[in-house]
Amino acid sequence: MHFDSTDSALAEIQTPCLAVPLALAKNLDEQIAPRGYLRSALRHAKNEAGEVTHIAMPEGARAEQLIAFGVGDVVTLKELRKIGTAVGQAIKSCDITSAAVAPPEIEVAGVDSARATRAFAASIASELYRFRAHKKEEREKPAFESLTIQASEDISRTVALIEAFNVGQTFARELGNLPGNECTPDHLLAEAKRLSETHEIQCFHMDESEMEARGMGAFLSVSRGSAREGRLIRLDYLGADDPSSPAIILVGKGITFDTGGISLKKPDAMDEMKFDMCGAAAVFGALLAALEAKLPLNVIAIAAAAENMPSGKASRPGDVVTAMSGTTVEILNTDAEGRLVLCDALTYARELKPRAIIDVATLTGACVVALGERASGLFTPDDALADALIEAGEFSGDRVWRLPVWEDYREQLKTPLADLANVGGSAAGAITAAAFLSTFTEGMSWAHLDIAGTAWKTGKEKGRQAQSANTTARTACLSISKTSGRRAGSDSRASPRSSSVHRVKRRGKNIAFIARR
């Protein structure tokens, strides 16, 4: 989807659909329709947040359809996003390819007008997304292509940021919604390579033989159970003034399908375990958003990509493996595989001497029990990093809730047969999982986001929206820009420096998504 802006008067905008606040729609009566037409059509419209009135315009009007949306007494970002969601749903129901919208001119506490416009437009874009790959009905519908934002002032930078973040989010959502037979570790690698070819970024990867040479026994204990090899995939975006300065590293769990391994899961909703790679999708999406927005940051995204399958080569409960750090781990439950691939990925990230590490993972069912589907779990000993993630989550709508990651919880991971057990019992499961990861990031600025409850929607909503495949990408990008000391939205960016690693020249402004996009 492309975003644009215009300072033209609303009555002059020619579009299949024009969405405006209700009060403004009433004032447009004689400008875009015969006298009294709009006032009559809007006489029962409610000026409440989330309410919309859809009007077919008379022949000859420059706008073929009008959506008048209620605003009410909006004072919070949550209410503003509610309006955007309603507008997006109304536009989507029209089956059109483009529309124009006038954001409500309201004051939102603690947010300037540019950020309010971004939040409003992002909510609309989220509703306009369709996963079109496998349903003939969806493929036959026209794809929505362009949203024009009307404003009386120059908002070109704001619109550029809206588009950049939407590109990253859409990329993440498309990956997250693919079935496990398509989105394999090799597919994630192919997508990373494609990004490196279409953008000025570097791509590195390790196959299982290279991981074995690096001593990544924890990762391999998971990936070797599958006929499909695991991959450790890395993308580098070097946008800071000094490309050699420490990067923010995003590490994503990329289990492209999780059966539980020998500790086999129950069959109920096992199809949804294709979403167990949403952490990897989110970090790739965040890096792409940072790149498209030309944020002055060095960002590295690492995906720990593997399948967790039962086979004659799969790990057994009771096996002891040696992680890349040299730590031995007793595998008491093969369905606690995410922390095993992540611990080696975190050790690898540590070697890169980052400024900070944020890992994103659909890690524990315990986090779903604790927080439900409304918030992701945040674990970090770093207060500044926690504040950045919490603030970014509030703005993006992908809220996080901080939970403890005290050393006391490591007591539950003790075992007489190895340095660590990979599970710590039923009590505080999300916390002990984070405590396990924390042993591989000691002394680092590190945060862990457990998105198990927020990564996807189920039932009829499946495939429509997933936070980790949508807003978590934006949350991570916003937080890393804050962590770097510079707000997302800066127009400055250093020119890429030369490197001993081959770089591919960028071929165009926007990524050419695979056909199903």
Side-chain angles (χ1 to χ4, degrees):
M1 183 196 314
H2 174 65
F3 291 82
D4 202 354
S5 63
T6 181
D7 59 2
S8 298
L10 290 171
E12 298 175 1
I13 299 176
Q14 186 155 356
T15 176
C17 181
L18 177 64
V20 298
L22 177 60
L24 189 55
K26 290 180 177 179
N27 292 334
L28 289 173
D29 191 22
E30 295 184 38
Q31 300 179 46
I32 63 174
R35 184 176 182 179
Y37 184 88
L38 289 184
R39 288 191 175 275
S40 175
L42 295 170
R43 64 186 183 278
H44 298 304
K46 297 179 181 179
N47 189 31
E48 298 176 6
E51 292 288 334
V52 296
T53 302
H54 197 161
I55 302 171
M57 298 297 288
E59 187 176 350
R62 297 182 71 83
E64 298 171 18
Q65 301 174 73
L66 181 76
I67 293 171
F69 56 87
V71 175
D73 299 318
V74 172
V75 293
T76 67
L77 274 173
K78 182 179 179 180
E79 292 169 323
L80 182 61
R81 285 192 294 267
K82 180 180 179 181
I83 297 172
T85 296
V87 171
Q89 291 172 346
I91 294 174
K92 189 175 184 177
S93 70
C94 299
D95 283 336
I96 53 179
T97 60
S98 64
V101 61
E105 295 183 358
I106 54 179
E107 291 188 7
V108 179
V111 179
D112 61 30
S113 60
R115 284 166 66 82
T117 297
R118 284 168 53 194
F120 177 68
S123 298
I124 295 174
S126 180
E127 291 302 315
L128 292 174
Y129 170 78
R130 283 175 173 156
F131 183 62
R132 301 162 59 86
H134 301 121
K135 284 183 72 70
K136 182 179 179 181
E137 178 185 359
E138 287 293 332
R139 292 196 301 272
E140 290 177 346
K141 291 179 181 178
F144 193 87
E145 297 174 354
S146 176
L147 184 67
T148 299
I149 301 172
Q150 191 271 349
S152 58
E153 58 187 9
D154 182 10
I155 59 168
S156 55
R157 179 54 184 166
T158 297
V159 170
L161 285 173
I162 293 168
E163 178 152 346
F165 280 78
N166 190 64
V167 167
Q169 291 164 46
T170 301
F171 179 80
R173 295 171 88 167
E174 288 290 306
L175 283 179
N177 283 324
L178 287 174
N181 62 318
E182 292 184 22
C183 188
T184 62
D186 278 342
H187 179 79
L188 290 180
L189 175 58
E191 287 295 285
K193 287 180 176 179
R194 187 173 57 80
L195 288 182
S196 75
E197 292 171 356
T198 54
H199 293 69
E200 200 167 305
I201 57 176
Q202 305 166 7
C203 178
F204 309 87
H205 73 280
M206 294 186 205
D207 59 21
E208 289 190 351
S209 62
E210 292 171 292
M211 285 188 272
E212 184 172 21
R214 298 290 295 270
M216 296 183 173
F219 188 114
L220 293 171
S221 72
V222 177
S223 66
R224 283 181 171 166
S226 172
R228 295 186 171 101
E229 280 204 15
R231 302 283 187 247
L232 189 73
I233 308 163
R234 170 183 154 194
L235 286 171
D236 291 10
Y237 162 63
L238 306 178
D241 295 340
D242 178 5
S244 66
S245 61
I248 308 295
I249 297 185
L250 307 175
V251 178
K253 175 186 172 184
I255 301 298
T256 56
F257 196 81
D258 181 17
T259 66
I262 297 299
S263 305
L264 195 66
K265 292 178 181 290
K266 294 179 180 179
D268 297 344
M270 192 191 281
D271 63 291
E272 295 182 0
M273 288 302 97
K274 69 175 188 175
F275 293 117
D276 213 19
M277 44 64 65
C278 279
V283 301
F284 280 172
L287 180 138
L288 180 56
L291 186 157
E292 289 284 341
K294 300 180 181 178
L295 297 185
L297 311 167
N298 290 339
V299 183
I300 295 173
I302 297 173
E307 286 186 333
N308 186 25
M309 303 291 282
S311 75
K313 295 182 178 180
S315 295
R316 299 159 290 269
D319 284 2
V320 176
V321 298
T322 303
M324 183 181 178
S325 66
T327 302
T328 55
V329 180
E330 184 182 15
I331 301 173
L332 297 180
N333 187 331
T334 65
D335 195 23
E337 84 298 331
R339 65 202 73 182
L340 295 174
V341 298
L342 284 175
C343 72
D344 280 345
L346 289 170
T347 301
Y348 171 70
R350 186 187 187 105
E351 290 186 349
L352 302 177
K353 296 181 170 52
R355 180 169 187 160
I357 301 175
I358 303 170
D359 78 70
V360 186
T362 49
L363 205 64
T364 66
C367 196
V368 186
V369 173
L371 300 176
E373 300 174 356
R374 302 296 182 182
S376 299
L378 167 62
F379 304 83
T380 178
D382 187 326
D383 291 339
L385 188 54
D387 290 344
L389 282 161
I390 291 168
E391 180 181 327
E394 288 295 328
F395 176 71
S396 71
D398 184 22
R399 292 176 294 179
V400 299
W401 187 260
R402 192 177 184 184
L403 293 165
V405 65
W406 303 326
E407 286 192 20
D408 310 51
Y409 288 101
R410 295 187 189 180
E411 291 293 317
Q412 292 175 232
L413 299 171
K414 288 187 174 180
T415 170
L417 301 177
D419 297 324
L420 290 172
N422 77 324
V423 291
S426 59
I431 298 174
T432 55
F436 178 92
L437 296 178
S438 73
T439 64
F440 298 89
T441 57
E442 287 184 335
M444 305 291 294
S445 177
W446 160 79
H448 162 59
L449 289 172
D450 191 332
I451 59 172
T454 58
W456 69 91
K457 293 190 175 183
T458 190
K460 292 182 180 180
E461 297 294 297
K462 191 186 300 182
R464 189 188 68 82
Q465 177 177 340
Q467 287 187 351
S468 78
N470 178 29
T471 54
T472 299
R474 178 171 48 187
T475 297
C477 195
L478 288 166
S479 66
I480 59 179
S481 65
K482 189 174 189 299
T483 303
S484 73
R486 302 175 74 170
R487 182 177 294 276
S490 169
D491 287 305
S492 62
R493 177 190 176 196
S495 299
R497 306 297 202 272
S498 60
S499 169
S500 58
V501 178
H502 174 67
R503 292 174 179 238
V504 179
K505 290 185 178 180
R506 190 167 179 175
R507 298 175 182 170
K509 179 182 177 183
N510 297 318
I511 181 168
F513 288 104
I514 53 179
R516 62 178 59 91
R517 293 188 177 85

